[in-house]
Amino acid sequence: ILLFVLLVFGCAPITFSNLQSAKMTREGKFEYTPSFSSSINTNSFGLQTSYGLNNKYNVRLRLERILIDFDGFESDSSNFIDMSIFNFKANITHLSFGIKYQLLKNKSAIYIPLSFTKIDDNSEIIKQIEPTYIHSFTLGKYFEINPSIKALIPLDFDTKDYLLAYNLGFGISSNLSKWVIRPEVGILKEIRSEESGLPHMSIGLSLYP
């Protein structure tokens, strides 16, 4: 039943936060970003890491553990489906990796990961490509704003119900080159739907050792 919900009703519980800026990890260096996200009866704990291949390209990896409590869903609690008809919990593992490319230095970038999402005790794996555009506005030495848009495009089943995630992230630090606290809010919408979509609130901590 859960797999049916994920595939047919827009993969609503799948990770769609961004938690990064358009800035690149320096060549030969790493970035680590542990994070926590919360949506409707869904909590996610994750870790992203980035490695600088050169000044233009980074490779990124993300691992997320998603915990869904369907016992707590109420009628009309999700714009994708009335989840009150279900009565169980689910644990999901999400893995994604891809290449991030700099468009304008410290200002804009694109990130194109492949993602694989598996429900515990189920052999099916949901595969998606998630092209993401990120723009960054740096305000002084201590603050940045990072709007982004991400498309979630399924690769392994026949559907035209593609999704878009709109995220607005912030970066707060006394030294943006060493560490950044990343609060973020966002919403996941089906392209052709007029519904308000599925929201999330997230926070991450980027570290540049």
Side-chain angles (χ1 to χ4, degrees):
I1 295 175
L2 177 57
L3 184 62
F4 176 78
V5 172
L6 292 176
L7 295 180
V8 177
F9 292 94
C11 306
I14 292 178
T15 296
F16 60 96
S17 60
N18 187 44
L19 295 167
Q20 61 176 299
S21 73
K23 298 176 181 178
M24 308 297 288
T25 304
R26 290 177 296 169
E27 182 176 355
K29 299 295 184 179
F30 285 92
E31 170 193 336
Y32 302 99
T33 305
S35 63
F36 171 76
S37 298
S38 184
S39 187
I40 299 174
N41 293 76
T42 303
N43 293 317
S44 302
F45 301 87
L47 175 66
Q48 296 187 61
T49 184
S50 173
Y51 176 75
L53 297 174
N54 53 46
N55 293 333
K56 286 284 189 178
Y57 290 94
N58 287 177
V59 60
R60 294 185 66 92
L61 174 72
R62 181 173 191 167
L63 180 63
E64 201 95 5
R65 189 64 173 163
I66 305 167
L67 313 176
I68 306 174
D69 184 0
F70 283 180
D71 291 334
F73 273 105
E74 299 177 355
S75 179
D76 298 325
S77 63
S78 169
N79 288 320
F80 291 94
I81 184 174
D82 178 4
M83 302 304 292
S84 65
I85 62 177
F86 302 109
N87 185 29
F88 57 89
K89 294 181 172 71
N91 297 325
I92 298 173
T93 299
H94 173 90
L95 173 67
S96 65
F97 58 88
I99 294 292
K100 181 177 177 180
Y101 174 72
Q102 176 182 277
L103 297 174
L104 292 174
K105 185 177 181 180
N106 295 332
K107 292 184 178 181
S108 64
I110 55 173
Y111 175 47
I112 305 178
L114 292 173
S115 70
F116 304 87
T117 305
K118 183 181 182 299
I119 304 161
D120 287 6
D121 303 320
N122 192 303
S123 61
E124 297 289 338
I125 298 176
I126 300 168
K127 303 180 227 16
Q128 297 187 118
I129 186 169
E130 304 180 4
T132 306
Y133 174 77
I134 312 158
H135 199 93
S136 290
F137 302 92
T138 302
L139 307 177
K141 298 181 179 180
Y142 312 115
F143 189 72
E144 61 186 21
I145 304 174
N146 304 304
S148 64
I149 182 170
K150 174 191 297 188
L152 285 80
I153 304 172
L155 297 178
D156 54 358
F157 59 95
D158 184 19
T159 178
K160 296 182 180 179
D161 295 329
Y162 301 143
L163 303 174
L164 286 178
Y166 303 91
N167 291 309
L168 180 60
F170 303 91
I172 305 167
S173 177
S174 61
N175 188 339
L176 292 171
S177 66
K178 294 295 184 181
W179 60 272
V180 185
I181 297 173
R182 299 196 180 281
E184 184 178 285
V185 294
I187 192 163
L188 181 68
K189 290 178 61 67
E190 186 180 345
I191 291 177
R192 298 181 298 172
S193 173
E194 296 182 359
E195 298 289 350
S196 59
L198 185 76
H200 83 87
M201 296 179 62
S202 303
I203 190 164
L205 174 63
S206 292
L207 302 171
Y208 307 92

